[in-house]
Amino acid sequence: MIGVRTLAAALAIASAVPAMANDGIAAQSAGGIVFGKTDAVAMKKEVLSVSAGLIKVEYEFLNESQSDVEETIFFPLPEYAAGYHGSPTYYGQPQQFTIEVDGKRKPYDTNFVAMLAGKDVTARLRQLGLTDQQIAYFPSHTPFDQQVASLSEAQRAILLKEGLLAQLYDEEWVPAWTVKVSYLWQQTFPAGKVVRVRHQYAPFVAAGSAATYLGDDKEFERKYCTDQGFQKTWQRLAARAGENGVVNAVAVSYILTTGNTWKNGIEDFSLNLIKGKPDELISLCFPGTFTKVNPTTLQVRLRNFRPQQDLDVYFGNVEGSGMHEGVAPAIRP
């Protein structure tokens, strides 16, 4: 069942859903990563396959100019707060992330910056003597097995004075900054030649459930476009679940709009939504009409696609929670 209209539902989401992204054009400068756009390289094809447990994306790029082009390609990861975290979920880097170009594994660099109120504060934190580990992981509350040195009293005093630390509770202070991690690599696009790029990884997800009664929740209505059939099926599943009425669900997000950095947007776009089992429910807001490829796969195909919004997919009646813990960012020693 896939939602195509908007109806309301009562939903408890464990936390905000971090989003992964399409590849985009970027450049590195003294001020950090600068996002750009190319008029030479076209994204001729993208096939994006999304499930509760795996994201796979395959691209075909073509340099339509008369000369070879080299670009810095970036893949941004979910921004995370450097403050308190109880677990690695929603934090760090996704598991099993790989980049392949023309069938061969591609190495990449990991770039990170600390942000506060839209300003890059990485240089200031380093000026105060903080190591990269201290910036990326707060010493007292890292969810990973990272040995991070404590801040000195002098550092703590300056950070407090400059608003770089925020109060969590009584006498407990945590970083006010967030950390943005991106993967970057140099890619050559030979003139007139197709270059094929492939990513695969376990997505960050948010876990959710709904009670037997599906009430009025405008945010859920706006975000996932559930239809009446989805609502009725959910009520039946919740009733079958017993007194607590819990139906296991997860939400997966993916940033599509970075695809607009390429010449002509995405010329041939396919989205595959893959269920773990035939009676899994799926709902999302997305243009086009989905067709049923097989009992567990729904597909939509669009030509000359210029995404106007990013992708949020809600999977209901899934096995288990589907939660994926991140891995620690590869910060230099």
Side-chain angles (χ1 to χ4, degrees):
M1 172 97 35
I2 186 164
V4 295
R5 293 173 59 87
T6 53
L7 288 176
L11 173 69
I13 290 290
S15 86
V17 191
M20 308 307 287
N22 266 334
D23 288 354
I25 295 291
Q28 288 183 283
S29 69
I33 299 175
V34 179
F35 304 127
K37 183 176 174 62
T38 177
D39 292 323
V41 182
M43 185 189 289
K44 305 301 288 186
K45 186 175 183 179
E46 176 181 354
V47 178
L48 174 62
S49 299
V50 179
S51 69
L54 183 70
I55 287 180
K56 182 172 68 174
V57 57
E58 299 169 284
Y59 308 104
E60 291 184 4
F61 298 106
L62 177 63
N63 176 4
E64 298 183 336
S65 73
Q66 300 301 309
S67 303
D68 293 355
V69 171
E70 183 169 312
E71 296 282 5
T72 299
I73 311 302
F74 77 99
F75 188 92
L77 301 180
E79 186 172 355
Y80 64 86
Y84 178 81
H85 290 272
S87 79
T89 306
Y90 317 114
Y91 184 91
Q93 298 177 91
Q95 295 181 24
Q96 306 162 19
F97 184 85
T98 59
I99 300 172
E100 292 181 1
V101 177
D102 291 332
K104 297 180 180 179
R105 189 67 63 89
K106 182 78 173 180
Y108 55 88
D109 295 325
T110 302
N111 175 278
F112 87 101
V113 296
M115 302 293 294
L116 179 60
K119 180 182 178 182
D120 184 346
V121 295
T122 316
R124 176 56 178 157
L125 294 173
R126 287 177 176 149
Q127 186 181 43
L128 293 174
L130 274 69
T131 66
D132 284 356
Q133 286 84 356
Q134 289 173 320
I135 296 171
Y137 319 104
F138 188 60
S140 300
H141 294 298
T142 172
F144 298 112
D145 294 329
Q146 297 286 322
Q147 298 298 317
V148 183
S150 298
L151 303 179
S152 69
E153 288 302 318
Q155 287 174 323
R156 189 177 300 273
I158 297 173
L159 291 170
L160 283 169
K161 181 179 179 180
E162 296 186 8
L164 290 164
L165 290 183
Q167 189 169 16
L168 181 63
Y169 46 79
D170 292 346
E171 301 303 319
E172 184 71 29
W173 297 84
V174 297
W177 63 84
T178 58
V179 178
K180 295 176 68 173
V181 178
S182 295
Y183 297 144
L184 299 102
W185 68 98
Q186 293 299 117
Q187 183 62 53
T188 300
F189 297 93
K193 182 181 177 181
V194 172
V195 174
R196 294 175 174 85
V197 177
R198 181 179 186 270
H199 300 310
Q200 180 171 302
Y201 56 91
F204 292 108
V205 301
S209 63
T212 302
Y213 172 70
L214 299 181
D216 185 15
D217 189 317
K218 295 298 183 183
E219 175 61 20
F220 188 66
E221 174 184 345
R222 181 196 65 79
K223 194 168 186 177
Y224 297 110
C225 296
T226 56
D227 63 11
Q228 190 172 11
F230 180 96
Q231 186 186 39
K232 289 181 178 179
T233 302
W234 193 286
Q235 289 172 332
R236 184 172 67 252
L237 290 170
R240 189 187 304 168
E243 290 185 5
N244 62 6
V246 171
V247 179
N248 286 332
V250 298
V252 177
S253 293
Y254 188 89
I255 299 173
L256 280 173
T257 49
T258 44
N260 293 323
T261 65
W262 302 96
K263 181 181 179 182
N264 303 325
I266 308 171
E267 296 186 18
D268 183 354
F269 177 78
S270 295
L271 172 61
N272 298 312
L273 300 175
I274 302 173
K275 305 177 183 182
K277 56 184 180 179
D279 60 350
E280 196 169 284
L281 301 177
I282 299 178
S283 194
L284 76 162
C285 303
F286 198 77
T289 301
F290 284 84
T291 57
K292 187 175 181 180
V293 177
N294 57 50
T296 57
T297 304
L298 298 166
Q299 184 182 80
V300 65
R301 190 172 182 181
L302 301 173
R303 299 286 187 176
N304 300 315
F305 181 43
R306 294 184 179 274
Q308 300 301 305
Q309 65 183 52
D310 296 320
L311 186 67
D312 294 291
V313 187
Y314 190 77
F315 293 91
N317 195 29
V318 299
E319 295 291 346
S321 67
M323 301 290 282
H324 303 291
E325 292 190 339
V327 295
I331 305 304
R332 65 175 183 261

